[in-house]
Amino acid sequence: CLNLVAAGAILIGAYVKGVMRASAEIMPDRTARRAEAAITVENGFHERGFERELTSRIIDEARRYHLSDVRVQEQGSSRCYKIPGLELHSYAANG
């Protein structure tokens, strides 16, 4: 985690009874306009809405840091989706 923070990453945790069970990391590029993000959910905690909630938090942070687009990778999946700047506001609002 310290290497990620030193590199400028934004880290988000999802906790159940005080234990982190899911997380998201956002790594802005050198221009701080675009970012790569990853979502990880602990085994046994999938299908509980963590992916949706973390995606919403990623969007909130992207808006806060004025990122123009974010590419999100989900753990254990080849699925990668891009959230362009023009959609950041509407996706967060309509999720």
Side-chain angles (χ1 to χ4, degrees):
C1 286
L2 293 176
N3 289 337
L4 289 170
V5 171
I10 301 160
L11 306 174
I12 303 165
Y15 295 83
V16 176
K17 297 183 180 179
V19 178
M20 186 169 20
R21 300 298 187 178
S23 65
E25 64 184 58
I26 307 165
M27 182 62 75
D29 68 6
R30 291 184 195 143
T31 67
R33 300 300 300 150
R34 296 181 178 167
E36 297 285 329
I39 295 174
T40 305
V41 179
E42 186 176 316
N43 288 338
F45 288 88
H46 294 276
E47 307 298 326
R48 295 190 185 193
F50 287 120
E51 292 91 346
R52 179 180 172 87
E53 181 64 30
L54 288 170
T55 298
S56 179
R57 295 289 306 275
I58 287 168
I59 291 166
D60 291 344
E61 291 299 311
R63 290 174 52 214
R64 184 171 150 216
Y65 285 90
H66 306 288
L67 299 170
S68 61
D69 65 68
V70 179
R71 191 172 302 273
V72 181
Q73 177 72 41
E74 290 182 357
Q75 165 196 7
S77 171
S78 60
R79 184 178 142 186
C80 183
Y81 51 95
K82 183 177 179 181
I83 305 169
L86 294 176
E87 294 179 17
L88 284 173
H89 178 67
S90 63
Y91 189 98
N94 300 321

